[in-house]
Amino acid sequence: MVALSPRSVVLLVITYSQAARQSLRNACNGHPETAVRRFGRAALFEATEFGAFLALRLREKHGGDVQVERTAPLNEFAEVPERVRTAAAAYEARSHPNTPYAKFAAGTDHPSPETLRDVEL
Amino acid sequence: MRLRVDGETVVGPALDVRDRAVAPRTVLAAIRDAADPQVACRAPGRVHELVGHVHPGMECSLQRALAAAARSRGQTTTHRDPLDAIDEELAASSPATVDLADARRRVADASADVADRREQVARASGRVEARRDAELDDAAATRRLREATRRLSEAETERIAAEQALASERRRAREARDERERRLRLVDRRRNLERRARAELAAREADRFERAIAALPVDAPPAPPEEFAGPDAVAALAVVRLAAPRAPVVIEEGPFRHAAQARACLHGPVVLI
């Protein structure tokens, strides 16, 4: 597989049927410069016009059995509030591995899972 | 079996038409097609599908053929019930088709409109300012600015509506995908079970296969299916012998000197061609 290119945005293509999965495999094998990664029934395509072309071809062929999303790397410093980053780091550093996050956060300044779930990035 | 060839009808369970002008494919097609008048015979089943035409250089999926032979003897595996259950679930499952293209197009159009009208408001606003700076009457320009602002507001409302409609369709699409994913898991599971069932059934025929090879008038050393090194055509004849399909098997360039020998060896109707 070709290493992920410096272009940051990629298309995520996910298949939902055997036939679509096979077509995706063929597309990835046929165009390794565009299909930069494959995970079984899903793959990342370069967000170039050719990548879009490949993705849309799959959708034309398999309709609802193909999902196409556009993704970008997450810059947690620009896009995620500090309290979330801090909570994640603190939780991973916890001394009791079997503590679920909800319990860990209780009684601390860390946000509860419910409040985290309620807020969109 | 009755076979029409060269304007003549030949009858019997063991026919030799090697010296006649008739193509194996034609005879085979006629065997498989009940409506074809060239051949009258018992209807072929699954075993015949796989080994009903034996010819040099043929490829025989031996495991499939042996599994079919086992099934034709009434053999089943413990995988039958889960396979049937999966088939029922698949028949009952019909994921919705959610077409997001229209919703997306609506959002794209609405966004373009908003951008357009925002620009118009900016221009209209500029004109009002210009009039005021020049201390000219700005009533008309102000009216146009108000109109442009109103149209912008309309466009923004439409865009919000379009985005909400798209969000709602995306939710439906996600549910439909959940169902598709479930189907895919079922399909994959079915393939695995079928593969396992075939392997089990084929294994049950291993001894009979080896004995069948030994009974054929060929040089190939008898061996169980996984180890058999002879040509696929020989393996196919062994399957024919042990499965004894009721429909006539078409044999091209086989090891038999004459049709009666073939029939005796294979326990069923044959056409040597």
Side-chain angles (χ1 to χ4, degrees), chain A residues 70-111:
Chain A
R70 195 175 56 182
T71 79
L74 179 72
N75 182 343
E76 67 270 36
F77 304 102
E79 302 165 59
V80 181
E82 191 180 338
R83 70 175 193 286
V84 178
R85 301 198 304 270
T86 310
Y91 182 60
E92 282 309 306
R94 68 193 181 280
S95 28
H96 301 289
N98 292 328
T99 312
Y101 177 69
K103 194 161 163 208
F104 171 82
T108 67
D109 283 339
H110 297 304

Side-chain angles (χ1 to χ4, degrees), chain B residues 41-102:
Chain B
C41 65
R42 303 286 289 272
R46 177 68 178 143
V47 173
H48 193 277
E49 249 180 71
L50 295 166
V51 294
H53 178 201
V54 181
H55 56 273
M58 72 180 277
E59 272 175 31
C60 169
S61 173
L62 189 49
Q63 195 186 69
R64 277 182 198 267
L66 287 171
R71 285 206 181 97
S72 74
R73 295 197 289 128
Q75 292 278 307
T76 62
T77 66
T78 53
H79 301 304
R80 181 77 264 150
D81 283 344
L83 275 168
D84 287 344
I86 290 177
D87 282 340
E88 266 184 50
E89 276 203 73
L90 282 170
S93 145
S94 59
T97 306
V98 181
D99 187 357
L100 294 163
D102 286 343

Side-chain angles (χ1 to χ4, degrees), chain B residues 196-210:
Chain B
R196 273 195 247 163
R198 274 201 301 272
E200 258 181 57
L201 289 170
R204 291 185 206 164
E205 304 298 292
D207 286 345
R208 299 176 69 222
F209 174 81
E210 191 168 355

